[in-house]
Amino acid sequence: MPPVLELRSVSKHFPTHKAVSDVSLSIERGKLFALLGPSGCGKTTTLRMVAGFDKPTSGQILLSGQDIAPLEPYERNVTTVFQSYALFPHLTARENIEFGLRRKGATDIDKHVRDMLELVQMAGKEDRKPPRLSGGEKQRVALARALVLEPEVLLLDEPLSALDPKLRKQVRAELKSLQRRVGITFVIVTHDQEEAMMLADEVALMHKGQIAQLGTPEDIYLRPANRFVANFLGAVNWMGSFGVRPEALRMTRDPIESGPRTRFANVEHAMFLGSCFHVHAKLGDGKLIVAEVSRVDDPFRPGEHVHVWWNGEDELHLPAGADE
Ligand code: ATP
């Protein structure tokens, strides 16, 4: 069975900017795939090429093994959920969901729409128009409107960015469970590494129009290919040729046997984060480090002399690049 979506050496060069350069990836059917990266790295342009809103400068895009280059956006069996949701404000939730089905001349529209309203938990609110729906509800209608068309791939551009942080976490969990239930392949664009890690089966981390690393969330977090990837996914204490993440750095008041993986440090300040502390400390060479310390411990205080240590397997050995 071919992958549901495959990009082969895809580039998009605008006259003034190389937005995407030589991107290759392949996505297995039924997976949740994230295009992750900082602003301007080319994620949205990549998504727009799959949707058909932008034409690649070079390369191929295959949907279930077929080159979709000649197809217009509406001829491709993919649908897009836009960041703004782009609902029709004068239509009810139900009419928004029905819209695409009617245009396609589908049969059994009522049943399809009822099933979708159940699926996104909007039954009972189907007669409301978007101005009377909350942000989360609008998003559900936008999802239902796209899913009811049963696309091979659903493209989602920053689908959670319009929601407030608390709702965002809840909707994130709902989105994943919805994807599992419908079994449709989702490709989600996000600049939020936590979101990509929590949602995705596989992540393509993009940097300056190229893929910096492709892999499962565990792969890219635990085995980053370079310092850009390591730094983008979370804090790293770089100590010369290697780095150690704050959660892998241990801190103790007790004397410890000195060795290559131990340092003296002076606590500068401790930040309480609810579930843990982030303790900032200065090493003997003046370098600042941060250690994630469990909340149950007696909190470290500024000015305290401590020891830090770590395990060899937690060292990230990555050469420093030109731009990290
Ligand atoms: P963001 O998260 O900010 O949307 P992104 O990773 O989605 O970023 P893109 O929107 O794909 O990035 O843009 C990639 C780069 O290409 C950016 O530097 C952008 O300015 C540039 N770009 C996008 N569209 C055009 C265009 N039509 N003409 C020229 N440059 C463009």
Side-chain angles (χ1 to χ4, degrees), residues 27-265:
I27 304 176
E28 229 180 283
R29 195 173 298 274
K31 297 286 182 197
L32 205 162
F33 188 93
L35 286 168
L36 171 69
S39 179
C41 72
K43 328 177 273 294
T44 302
T45 304
T46 303
L47 201 77
R48 287 174 56 82
M49 288 192 282
V50 176
F53 304 129
D54 276 332
K55 293 255 175 276
T57 312
S58 59
Q60 278 188 312
I61 301 178
L62 296 101
L63 190 64
S64 294
Q66 280 205 315
D67 188 351
I68 54 173
L71 302 181
E72 293 298 324
Y74 61 87
E75 295 171 318
R76 302 176 177 204
N77 198 8
V78 299
T79 51
T80 308
V81 175
F82 296 96
Q83 198 168 356
S84 57
Y85 312 140
L87 296 175
F88 298 113
H90 57 289
L91 299 184
T92 63
R94 172 200 294 281
E95 289 163 345
N96 265 286
I97 299 170
E98 282 174 359
F99 187 84
L101 283 178
R102 291 207 181 281
R103 255 201 348 194
K104 264 180 41 175
T107 54
D108 248 350
I109 290 182
D110 276 355
K111 178 172 178 349
H112 275 107
V113 173
R114 236 179 306 131
D115 289 350
M116 265 306 138
L117 285 163
E118 287 289 335
L119 188 73
V120 299
Q121 297 165 10
M122 283 295 289
K125 292 179 181 164
E126 58 267 39
D127 294 325
R128 291 203 201 162
K129 293 182 181 173
R132 288 189 53 220
L133 297 172
S134 71
E137 288 167 346
K138 279 186 211 150
Q139 204 225 24
R140 289 171 197 207
V141 175
L143 276 168
R145 184 176 67 169
L147 287 171
V148 79
L149 298 171
E150 295 176 1
E152 280 193 272
V153 178
L154 181 68
L155 308 172
L156 303 106
D157 190 3
E158 299 272 3
L160 306 177
S161 63
L163 307 174
D164 68 63
K166 196 157 173 214
L167 191 59
R168 211 175 155 131
K169 286 209 167 148
Q170 183 197 329
V171 176
R172 181 154 77 189
E174 284 174 14
L175 193 65
K176 176 133 185 164
S177 122
L178 180 69
Q179 191 273 335
R180 290 286 184 263
R181 275 179 287 147
V182 295
I184 290 176
T185 312
F186 281 22
V187 178
I188 179 169
V189 157
T190 178
H191 63 271
D192 180 331
Q193 84 283 1
E194 192 182 296
E195 196 160 290
M197 306 260 285
M198 283 190 61
L199 279 172
D201 298 302
E202 207 174 4
V203 179
L205 175 48
M206 294 184 70
H207 184 39
K208 296 183 176 170
Q210 294 182 311
I211 293 183
Q213 192 169 358
L214 199 62
T216 63
E218 288 89 338
D219 281 340
I220 61 172
Y221 187 86
L222 298 174
R223 291 172 288 282
N226 54 49
R227 288 197 184 195
F228 167 77
V229 175
N231 289 328
F232 190 82
L233 296 174
V236 185
N237 296 296
W238 295 107
M239 307 197 218
S241 63
F242 66 90
V244 182
R245 292 208 184 270
E247 71 272 18
L249 209 54
R250 316 297 162 87
M251 188 172 272
T252 176
R253 297 181 172 95
D254 303 330
I256 53 171
E257 202 176 316
S258 74
R261 299 196 173 92
T262 68
R263 298 283 189 279
F264 287 113

Side-chain angles (χ1 to χ4, degrees), residues 6-17:
E6 193 180 351
L7 272 61
R8 292 189 186 156
S9 297
V10 170
S11 297
K12 177 72 186 177
H13 295 174
F14 294 108
T16 50
H17 191 79

